[in-house]
Amino acid sequence: MRHHISIAACIALLTVSIPVGALDWTPSDVPGGTGIGFAGDGAGTIWIATEGGGIFRSADGGALWTAVNTGLDSRAAIELVRGVSGRLWVATDAGPFSSADGGDTWSGPGAGLTDPGILALALNPSTGAPWVGTVDGVFTSADNGVAWTATAAGLPDSRIMSMAVAGGTVFVGTRDEGVWRSSDDGQSWEASGTGSSGLEIVMLASNPGGPLTIWAGTGGSGLLVSDDGGDTWVPAGTGLENLDVSALAFDPADGDVIWAGTDAGTFQSQDGGQLWVATPGIPPQTGVEALLIDAADPGRTFAGVAVVGAAISDDDGATWVTSGAGLAGVAVSAIDAGGPTGGAVYLASEGAGVYQTTDRGRTWTWLGDGPGSLLTTALVVDPTDGDRVFAGNRLDGVWRTTNGGGSWQQISTGLTNQRVQALAIDASNPLTLYAATRGGVFVTSNGGDIWTPASNGLVDLDVVAVAVDPDDSLLLFASTAAGLYRSVDGGASWQPSGTGLGGLDVTSLLPAAGRWWLGSDSGVFVSDDQGGTWIEPGDPLVLPVLSLAWDPHPERWVAAGTEGGGIMVLSPDGSWSQDDPELATATVTAIDFAVDTSGYAGTPGGSWIRSELPVFADGFESGASDAWAVSVP
């Protein structure tokens, strides 16, 4: 949430004087993100892709994991595969990336993709050529991802969910149109036979060591199988009916043994998929997103599970142990520290969904997989009701909880572009919200039940940030690649905002202390005339700024989360100073402060907290714990 403080409160704060210096931030580890993909080299090295922390590698059977993310533009991984040459591929919301050195370095996303968000990834098992599914269709590359070529049109207007290449045929799983296929390298597409029409296909796989059999995991309809190249699809045995099937793993030592990862834990078949039996070790409510049988040790099975990342079984699933040492915390995309009334703090991860803390970051509780695909990009809390939270998703629009995360409801009616990049809430009327998407700005006046477009005047509809003035509900700002725009009529129309910014990329917006602040790729700027003109507030901050928040600590104003420079704080004298040398080189993607002055900062690898700062009534320190009072704006 963009924290707001009135001019009167600002003056009141500045009457309190305590020494200002670098304040101490400490790690507040959010449990590692969901493991969504595995790869192994057959010689003991295992890689795991997580939805929030990127790629990790283990050379000791999963006892210890090391992050290998150099070169990745995003750590929100979707899928991980390894080709016949040993090249690793990962699909992310910033495009496809590959590594030819075991993950030490990554390159990508290449040229030719019309949308960087990758929804599915598959490799030709013979050549290693990659195929990716996007919102704009299917693309392939003949040069390891340097350039991508679009395949022919013909796929249904349904989001791509999964892909596989087998027997010279490319298979595509869709959200609600079943399986589609191409037998001519994408020159044409057709519905893949009978038996899958109308189903959500979340996983496609084939047994690399057996006959040409294609398996399709569905969302809520169990597992399908085709033995005739996709001409017909039938249920795969018994035991998986009505389940979400997200992963399969084939035992390299026994072709009849197959593992399935579902929303009800792991299942195993010992007869080639005719009968499936639940393995008891993972709790039945635990979703399993990925599976791998270690070719170097076929008795060892890896499972990608929510929150903890990975689990390992050496006894056919009877028992599992957590394999989380070294798996970093989630990549944080947004934080809301509770607003003017305090309460719970919420954290969004672009890969692991939403978390909550009620003890100032000492512990975090995962709020389940309700907000869509877990690619949570934006988060705002109703300032009048701390249990009402809105979450924006990279793929699935906007979601709402009215019970503090106990349950979530998708609220995307009218949201014709569901790739949400930012949310803003009207503090004077919390039922009014604005969503910045890759298809423009949308507004709701009924808490998200219905959204309508609000982009008239925007030259570029790829909107990365939006904010509404807490004292004037009609005044809004929105940032696009074409510049900063202002609306004085609640989003009904937009005009370019003032002078002083040149061609800067605006990344964040903050109304505070009766002024407007913005973060850009070239520091922080402020406007005293509602966006008519913009100037630097003091000394230049020559760092890219990713997030802004008003710091309620006495003698501090704005805190800026920067790219590679940690947290920088602006004092009333116009000087910038760095908070906590331990964060000096960190990239801070989100920052917010609670009313008790405790601070919360998010990075691509986890979260940090600044404890609340007690100040005695007269502004001087006291050694008696009962003599302290919290300085509240």
Side-chain angles (χ1 to χ4, degrees):
M1 189 181 107
R2 307 302 185 192
H3 203 73
H4 169 254
I5 183 171
S6 67
I7 289 288
C10 178
I11 295 173
L13 274 179
L14 294 180
T15 62
V16 181
S17 175
I18 84 170
V20 177
L23 297 179
D24 186 42
W25 292 76
T26 57
S28 171
D29 288 336
V30 180
T34 301
I36 52 82
F38 288 102
D41 65 359
T45 299
I46 306 294
W47 293 264
I48 182 174
T50 68
E51 287 189 313
I55 312 301
F56 297 81
R57 181 176 61 201
S58 174
D60 56 8
L64 178 64
W65 299 89
T66 302
V68 285
N69 291 313
T70 301
L72 284 182
D73 290 348
S74 170
R75 299 190 185 183
I78 307 296
E79 201 160 352
L80 176 69
V81 291
R82 185 174 184 270
V84 290
S85 67
R87 180 180 289 269
L88 293 165
W89 286 88
V90 60
T92 77
D93 66 336
F97 292 79
S98 70
S99 173
D101 54 14
D104 289 339
T105 58
W106 296 85
S107 60
L113 294 173
T114 53
D115 190 293
I118 305 302
L119 306 176
L121 167 69
L123 303 182
N124 186 306
S126 301
T127 66
W131 294 75
V132 296
T134 76
V135 293
D136 292 331
V138 173
F139 293 74
T140 187
S141 175
D143 53 11
N144 287 323
V146 175
W148 295 88
T149 302
T151 63
L155 286 169
D157 186 18
S158 179
R159 200 177 90 189
I160 295 171
M161 303 292 290
S162 54
M163 296 184 70
V165 183
T169 299
V170 182
F171 294 88
V172 172
T174 67
R175 169 173 273 180
D176 51 21
E177 293 287 346
V179 182
W180 287 64
R181 64 184 174 183
S182 173
S183 57
D184 53 13
D185 287 330
Q187 296 181 49
S188 63
W189 297 92
E190 64 177 1
S192 181
T194 60
S196 75
S197 178
L199 297 179
E200 180 184 23
I201 309 298
V202 298
M203 182 277 302
L204 286 166
S206 64
N207 186 347
L212 181 57
T213 302
I214 312 299
W215 307 78
T218 73
S221 299
L223 181 67
L224 304 179
V225 62
S226 175
D227 294 321
D228 54 13
D231 288 341
T232 56
W233 297 87
V234 297
T238 59
L240 298 178
E241 296 86 350
N242 303 317
L243 294 179
D244 295 347
V245 181
S246 302
L248 286 183
F250 304 92
D251 192 331
D254 187 341
D256 287 331
V257 176
I258 309 174
W259 290 72
T262 79
D263 58 339
T266 53
F267 288 74
Q268 187 189 74
S269 172
Q270 298 186 0
D271 56 10
Q274 297 302 307
L275 177 65
W276 297 88
V277 179
T279 60
I282 292 181
Q285 288 77 35
T286 301
V288 175
E289 299 290 334
L291 288 167
L292 174 74
I293 298 175
D294 189 353
D297 181 7
R300 169 161 288 198
T301 303
F302 291 82
V305 294
V307 183
V308 299
I312 300 174
S313 177
D314 290 317
D315 54 11
D316 278 340
T319 60
W320 296 81
V321 295
T322 299
S323 172
L327 290 178
V330 301
V332 179
S333 54
I335 296 174
D336 192 313
T341 59
V345 175
Y346 294 87
L347 175 151
S349 167
E350 194 169 350
V354 180
Y355 293 78
Q356 178 196 77
T357 180
T358 56
D359 56 11
R360 299 190 179 97
R362 294 178 181 88
T363 59
W364 292 89
T365 300
W366 186 54
L367 298 183
D369 58 358
S373 64
L374 298 183
L375 297 175
T376 311
T377 53
L379 187 74
V380 290
V381 178
D382 185 332
T384 64
D385 181 356
D387 287 333
R388 184 187 296 268
V389 183
F390 300 87
N393 190 277
R394 177 71 71 182
L395 299 175
D396 294 318
V398 180
W399 294 69
R400 177 182 63 203
T401 177
T402 58
N403 55 9
S407 60
W408 294 87
Q409 173 192 8
Q410 188 176 21
I411 50 168
S412 298
T413 300
L415 203 64
T416 55
N417 188 296
Q418 297 197 17
R419 304 197 68 177
V420 178
Q421 303 189 106
L423 291 172
I425 192 167
D426 185 346
S428 62
N429 181 12
L431 293 179
T432 298
L433 293 95
Y434 296 86
T437 78
R438 299 199 66 174
V441 175
F442 293 80
V443 61
T444 176
S445 59
N446 51 22
D449 292 338
I450 298 176
W451 297 84
T452 57
S455 300
N456 184 34
L458 293 178
V459 175
D460 188 333
L461 294 182
D462 189 357
V463 184
V464 298
V466 66
V468 57
D469 195 304
D471 298 320
D472 181 357
S473 296
L474 298 179
L475 179 60
L476 294 90
F477 288 86
S479 172
T480 76
L484 182 67
Y485 285 78
R486 177 180 61 180
S487 174
V488 295
D489 51 18
S493 62
W494 297 88
Q495 300 82 32
S497 173
T499 61
L501 297 179
L504 297 182
D505 290 334
V506 177
T507 57
S508 50
L509 296 162
L510 172 69
R515 313 168 82 184
W516 273 89
W517 308 74
L518 65 80
S520 75
D521 57 348
S522 296
V524 174
F525 290 77
V526 65
S527 174
D528 289 313
D529 57 5
Q530 297 186 331
T533 55
W534 295 89
I535 61 172
E536 290 180 297
D539 297 338
L541 180 62
V542 287
L543 285 170
V545 174
L546 303 179
S547 52
L548 287 176
W550 183 267
D551 189 341
H553 183 275
E555 297 191 14
R556 287 163 169 248
W557 277 10
V558 170
T562 72
E563 182 178 348
I567 298 171
M568 302 295 294
V569 292
L570 176 68
S571 297
D573 63 4
S575 64
W576 291 93
S577 58
Q578 191 169 62
D579 251 10
D580 201 332
E582 192 172 353
L583 283 169
T585 61
T587 291
V588 179
T589 53
I591 188 169
D592 201 10
F593 295 89
V595 294
D596 62 6
T597 75
S598 56
Y600 301 83
T603 73
S607 65
W608 292 67
I609 58 170
R610 187 187 78 185
S611 297
E612 71 276 15
L613 301 170
V615 180
F616 195 49
D618 60 2
F620 295 95
E621 297 182 2
S622 170
S625 60
D626 59 355
W628 294 89
V630 176
S631 174
V632 179

